[in-house]
């Protein structure tokens, strides 16, 4: 019977109307009570909140609740949104408490929670791995970063009063892994991914245990066990299509059998050939969140950060950057791709494909409206939305020696990059020349970079004169490119006054981004001046 309450006959007679009202509020479907009085049962229920099955044996004097399950309403309630909390939101036990409170302050939501590693754990794990390569097996236990990680996680568990056994196995395994690295004297990309996975595996276990402790039933998931299937590109893997149905089946299946807030590791996946743990690139938990949003067809994806949303520029460059209230998926994707650390470069793809709004919020200031990212927005008044800086870019000027026709020339240039697996960011071409920049994130993580660059130049020199220019920056102006004349007029005014020469400019293909290339050492100043011109003077925007 839907929403029926099953009491022992005595209690039913004694408590019916008031009690059933409370029961509904607690999402209780059935309850068997042996002995006891109404007040203590209600107290137990209040504590149990979202627990589906509760077994409480109190002393004979009060009550013995044997079983309780949720209302059909609750069981039928679907998962509604994703809430992702990054390392910046999870730095300590105190922060975890606040995040739990924040999640529970939305009683109408049934969220999937995605968590990154605590604070600076990922960086520390990578450093510990690098030290293990050269420190010798006997010295692993004195690696400072290992002690830091152990201490942080054990202290957090202790302060949250959850049993440290939830992470004990992982801490042991982590030390063993570092011993293995010390013995092998090498840290491969595959081992790096296994190494950093400990961060997310531990933060989610501690958090899920804490949620359960406070009576909010939660279930921990390792993404690599629930269908996050990726390419085998360790440290920068791509999510494969098979992920969506697999994740949906796993999370929906468990939820409909036995509802509990899913707490999922961000950032991690499983390589489809290797079956080893992979990672989605730094900041990849944003992508985990949007992937889950698409897989489950959720209403909204929330990414909770330590800033009031996406800002008009990196606050580390200019502290008075302002939140941007609305963005389109295209704008957010360009912004992320061209270096705004606030979002993972690939994270907008699943959200855009499934047309699910993404909200960027501040976990330290939940009342701030944040940024809402959707398919379209009113662009009538929009000029410039945000300024993004990507540093340490390598630029190539390639001038044809006319050994090939124009189309043969372009094809040859790009086939060289394809063969070497190097991605190109910004391109500008003329009939006989091409200027382009190489994606630094793909470039500098490769050990053989100088040889590879030499090889690129060598190959290109067969058909062109090549000039390799390093230490450049891309400044991306994200906004309404329909108004490019207005934007460029203002940009060049600023740059002329500052005496800065733009070495390349690209608009064209992207409808939301104009890219300028300048020297690295002029770039920050340039961003600050452009910010002042566009966002702090009343004349535009
Ligand atoms: N345009 C921008 N808007 C907002 N934050 C930015 C921007 N550019 C860089 N950031 C930086 O991104 C940080 C948030 O991203 P991140 O550290 O990855 O958060 P989390 O760990 O919560 O996922 C901010 O603290 C800020 O310093
Ligand atoms: N912990 C990983 C993944 C991640 O997404 O982190 P964050 O959400 O803190 O950016 C990293 O540091 O890259």
């Amino acid at each position: 019977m839907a929403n029926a309450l099953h009491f022992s006959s005595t209690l039913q007679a004694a408590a019916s109307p008031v009690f059933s009202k409370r029961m509904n509020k607690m999402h209780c479907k059935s309850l068997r009570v042996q002995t006891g009085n109404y007040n203590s049962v209600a107290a137990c229920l209040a504590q149990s909140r979202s627990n589906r099955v509760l077994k409480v044996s109190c002393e004979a004097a009060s009550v013995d609740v044997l079983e309780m399950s949720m209302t059909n309403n609750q069981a039928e309630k679907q998962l509604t949104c994703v809430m992702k909390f990054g390392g910046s939101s999870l730095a300590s036990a105190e922060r975890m408490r606040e995040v739990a409170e924040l999640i529970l302050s939305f009683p109408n939501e049934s969220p999937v929670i995605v968590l990154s590693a605590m604070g600076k754990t990922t960086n520390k794990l990578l450093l510990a791995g690098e030290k293990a390569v050269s420190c010798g097996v006997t010295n692993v236990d004195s690696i400072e970063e290992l002690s830091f990680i152990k201490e942080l996680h054990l202290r957090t568990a202790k302060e949250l009063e959850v049993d440290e056994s939830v992470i004990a196995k992982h801490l042991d395994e982590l030390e063993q892994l570092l011993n293995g690295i010390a013995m092998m004297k090498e840290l491969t990309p595959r081992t790096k991914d296994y190494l950093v996975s400990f961060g997310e595996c531990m933060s989610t276990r501690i958090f899920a245990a804490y949620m359960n402790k406070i009576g909010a039933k939660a279930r921990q998931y390792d993404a690599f066990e629930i269908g996050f299937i990726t390419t085998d590109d360790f440290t920068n893997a791509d999510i494969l299509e098979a992920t969506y149905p697999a994740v949906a089946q796993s999370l929906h299946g468990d939820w409909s059998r036995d509802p509990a807030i899913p707490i999922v590791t961000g950032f991690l996946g499983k390589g489809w050939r290797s079956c080893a743990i992979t990672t989605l690139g730094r900041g990849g938990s944003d992508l985990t969140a949007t992937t889950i949003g698409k897989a489950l067809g959720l209403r909204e994806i929330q990414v909770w950060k330590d800033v009031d949303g996406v800002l008009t520029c990196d606050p580390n460059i200019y502290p008075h950057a302002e939140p941007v209230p609305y963005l389109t998926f295209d704008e957010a994707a360009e912004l992320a791709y061209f270096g705004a650390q606030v979002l993972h470069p690939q994270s907008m793809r699943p959200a855009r494909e499934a047309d699910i709004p993404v909200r960027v919020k501040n976990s330290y200031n939940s009342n701030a409206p944040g940024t809402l990212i959707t398919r379209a927005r009113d662009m009538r008044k929009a000029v410039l939305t945000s300024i993004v800086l990507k540093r340490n870019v390598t630029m190539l000027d390639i001038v044809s020696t006319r050994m090939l026709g124009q189309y043969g020339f372009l094809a040859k240039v790009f086939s060289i990059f394809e063969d070497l697996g190097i991605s190109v960011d910004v391109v500008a071409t003329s009939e006989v020349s091409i200027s382009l920049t190489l994606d630094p994130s793909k470039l500098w993580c490769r050990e053989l970079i100088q040889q590879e660059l030499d090889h690129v130049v060598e190959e290109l020199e067969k058909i062109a004169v090549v000039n390799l220019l390093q230490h450049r920056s891309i400044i991306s102006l994200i906004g309404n490119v329909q108004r490019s004349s207005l934007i460029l007029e203002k940009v060049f005014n600023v740059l002329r006054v500052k005496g800065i020469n733009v070495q390349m400019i690209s608009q064209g293909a992207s409808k939301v981004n104009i890219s300028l290339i300048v020297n690295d050492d002029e770039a920050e100043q340039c961003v600050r001046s452009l910010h002042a011109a566009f966002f702090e003077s009343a004349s535009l925007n």
Side-chain angles (χ1 to χ4, degrees), residues 84 86-88 304-307 309-311 313-316 340-342:
K84 177 256 164 169
S88 60
W304 291 81
K305 305 270 168 181
D306 60 348
V307 279
V310 176
L311 306 177
C313 79
D314 183 344
N316 301 301
Q341 191 205 332
V342 66

Side-chain angles (χ1 to χ4, degrees), residues 340-353:
Q341 191 205 332
V342 66
L343 291 169
H344 180 274
Q346 302 299 330
S347 59
M348 286 304 113
R349 193 164 28 97
R352 176 173 29 198
E353 285 164 2

Side-chain angles (χ1 to χ4, degrees), residues 84-90 115-123 126 196 199-200 266-268 279-288 304-305 341-342 344:
K84 177 256 164 169
F85 295 89
S88 60
S89 300
L90 296 169
L115 301 185
S116 303
M118 289 183 72
K120 309 207 171 345
T121 302
T122 307
N123 287 347
L126 287 170
V196 292
E200 274 70 11
F267 185 46
L268 310 177
T279 62
L280 308 176
R282 295 305 304 271
S285 303
D286 295 338
L287 177 57
T288 308
W304 291 81
K305 305 270 168 181
Q341 191 205 332
V342 66
H344 180 274

